[in-house]
Amino acid sequence: MPSFENLGFMKILVCISKAPDTTSKIAFVDNNTRFDENGVQYIVNPYDEWYSLVRALEIKETIGGNVTIITVGTATDEAVIRKALAIGADDAVRIDADPTDAYYTAVQIAEYAKTNGFDLVLTGKETINYNGSQVGGMIAEALDLPFISLASKLDVNGTTLTLEKEIVGGLQVVEVALPAVVSCAKGMAEQRIPNMRGIMAARTKPLQVVAPVAVDLLTSYEGYSMPAAKSACKMIDPSNMDELVALLHNEAKVI
Amino acid sequence: MSVLVYINSANGLHKSAFEAVTYGKKLGGDVTVITTGNTDSGTLASLGKYGASKVLVDRSFKGEDDQQLTRVIASAAEQTAASTVVFSHDLTAKAVAPRLSVRLKAGLVSGAIDVPSGDGTVKVNVFSGKAFGAVKVNSGKKIISLLPNSLQPEETGVDCGVEDFNGNAGESKVKVLSTKKPEGEIPLPEAELVVSAGRGLKGPENWGIVEDLAKALGAATACSRPVADIGWRPHHEHVGQTGVAIRPNLYIAAGISGAIQHLAGVNGSKVMVVINTDPEAPFFKAADYGVIGDAFEVLPKLTEAVKKFKASGN
Ligand SMILES: Cc1cc2nc3c(=O)[nH]c(=O)nc-3n(C[C@H](O)[C@H](O)[C@H](O)COP(=O)(O)OP(=O)(O)OC[C@H]3O[C@@H](n4cnc5c(N)ncnc54)[C@H](O)[C@@H]3O)c2cc1C
Ligand SMILES: Nc1ncnc2c1ncn2[C@@H]1O[C@H](COP(=O)(O)O)[C@@H](O)[C@H]1O
């Protein structure tokens, strides 16, 4: 276990976004310009819930501190926010805006972090709906802080973080002084299932709604399309692997 | 128009570098490459063949601090008056491109899978590869990070000039204590051929038949999540929604059921071969070629067939 001698109290901001349940049917409406939310169940983005939030809670439990979750989202996202509170965050902030652009979202969070002062800002690796991996790095640049991306381990030693992170084709152990922004990947923590007491407590935990600041939208999604339907799977006799190899060479042209 | 392409040349030049330069060329206009580190100029000059008119190399910067690298790329973008910066969508790009986006106030498209279409929008995967989105960049400057294996590198030109560049990396706030890099392996996201296996293989001691096939094909190996979770295989091999997303030309899956979260990471593969004892395995619905059979018999047979095919001069 790491030692936590110097700090004693850490203010952690955990960025939470919603994501459609992984079994949701993916379809689009309005001439393929909008995601069809009909019947879609929203969950806390798994990376945010399993890795960053749980690691933040573990740090708080070991050295003391406060875990605030922040979401850029509309009023309908409050159900997802309450779920994250049920897992154990102390309080929540919702920036009242539709997060259609990563830059817009990141600047909102950075503004809040700047005004309120945090030792550590955590994000997930990426959102599973738009898979951008953008927001964390953008928050860091907007705050002029170091950003450790895709950390699979995070330990606090006084005012220093020791992290293990994925790099191209390997792993790296790095050290960085607080404050810092970290995006959390697999390995960081184990999933926690909220218990009844947590769920009850979440109902009365503070949830502050903050008006957004004016920020340009640098990108927009103009439309969506679905992949072409797969042609039926061609079945090959398990005793005839020469045929499979020939098909992969002549027909599929991949070997 | 001027395009700047960032290339990570720390371990020499890989196919993803040629793809990124080819992509930059296809955007139209003059292509400059920015890179850092020690790779010799002769090697870097070869990027000219793919369309670069010049390579800038900051030899004073050998670090990997993302904040410093962002400064170096930003100063190259400024010097070349780049209207678009191109990355290959690897782990470096995931850390640096978002920072650069804020620094240059340039809209970022991450994980592009095609050149911009007629209306200027760029195609990306959304919903874990279950659909495509068309992203429009509203800012004057753009950053596009290209998913590996999305286009073929094209050699159209000759070697280009290589110039020293000082990008003023500034101070580093991150101290690297150690780096672990497996030698000689094909990085999974870049691999064109991938052989993958799941819980159907029953135990880590049985992976020899998976590795044999991968070796015969020159493929990388991957696995399903439970296999990485129980420690049969290293975590970096785990593909799927919570692991690595890959889009190789060929994905061979043995003893994997084809759960929706697994498919999310592999359904960008051009061709999928599924080997499973259960004819009802959901993976067959996504596969191009299916073999209903025991992986312990089918994999060695397939390896033999591949060896025979290679020996016949292919
Ligand atoms: C939020 C969430 C995220 C997830 N993310 C991922 C992810 O990123 N990646 C991922 O892979 N999973 C992920 N999962 C888990 C996923 O749902 C499946 O549980 C998992 O993919 C199953 O792995 P498997 O196919 O190896 O094992 P199983 O489902 O146990 O399937 C084993 C298969 O092997 C076949 N088989 C058995 N013996 C043989 C034999 N001798 N020869 C050939 N075939 C044989 C069986 O018929 C069966 O189809 C996630 C789950 C959740 C809830
Ligand atoms: N609307 C949002 N509100 C709060 N945090 C967000 C939001 N969108 C993304 N994030 C955070 O940024 C991470 C990366 O998201 P993305 O850049 O969309 O892949 C997520 O895992 C979240 O932690």
Side-chain angles (χ1 to χ4, degrees), chain B residues 105-126:
Chain B
K105 214 168 178 226
L108 166 61
V109 183
S110 39
I113 53 175
D114 206 347
V115 289
S117 63
D119 63 359
T121 61
V122 184
K123 195 171 176 183
V124 296
N125 285 325
V126 289

Side-chain angles (χ1 to χ4, degrees), chain B residues 34 40 55 70 92 125 128 141 167 169 210 212 216 233 271 285 299:
Chain B
I34 173 76
D40 66 279
V55 176
T70 305
T92 305
N125 285 325
S128 304
K141 289 182 200 151
V210 179
D212 287 347
R233 298 298 294 174
V271 174
K285 289 203 184 68
L299 285 176

Side-chain angles (χ1 to χ4, degrees), chain A residues 118-136:
Chain A
F118 288 90
D119 302 302
L120 178 63
V121 180
L122 298 182
T123 74
K125 169 189 170 189
E126 64 188 14
T127 47
I128 59 170
N129 37 357
Y130 291 102
N131 312 103
S133 264
Q134 300 190 12
V135 171

Side-chain angles (χ1 to χ4, degrees), chain B residues 240-254:
Chain B
Q241 182 190 300
T242 44
V244 190
I246 55 172
R247 36 190 295 114
N249 291 338
L250 174 62
Y251 183 71
I252 301 180

Side-chain angles (χ1 to χ4, degrees), chain A residues 47 129 134 141 173 251, chain B residues 99 110 127 177 180 241 289:
Chain A
Y47 295 106
N129 37 357
Q134 300 190 12
E141 185 69 22
V173 181
E251 187 178 79
Chain B
R99 297 201 78 117
S110 39
F127 297 96
L177 300 182
K180 247 190 306 189
Q241 182 190 300
Y289 301 101

Side-chain angles (χ1 to χ4, degrees), chain A residues 15-18 45 47-48 52 70-73 99 102 105 109 122-127 130-136 139:
Chain A
C15 305
I16 298 283
S17 82
K18 66 169 179 192
N45 184 45
Y47 295 106
D48 308 348
S52 41
I70 186 165
T71 297
V72 179
T105 305
I109 295 172
L122 298 182
T123 74
K125 169 189 170 189
E126 64 188 14
T127 47
Y130 291 102
N131 312 103
S133 264
Q134 300 190 12
V135 171
I139 295 172

Side-chain angles (χ1 to χ4, degrees), chain A residues 22 50, chain B residues 198-200 202 224-226 238-243 255-259 261-262 275-278 281 293-296:
Chain A
T22 49
W50 302 356
Chain B
R199 215 146 44 176
K202 314 258 185 311
S224 68
R225 174 169 139 186
H238 155 201
V239 292
Q241 182 190 300
T242 44
I256 301 179
S257 57
Q261 299 89 354
H262 183 83
I275 303 164
N276 200 303
T277 40
D278 176 9
D294 186 342
F296 292 91

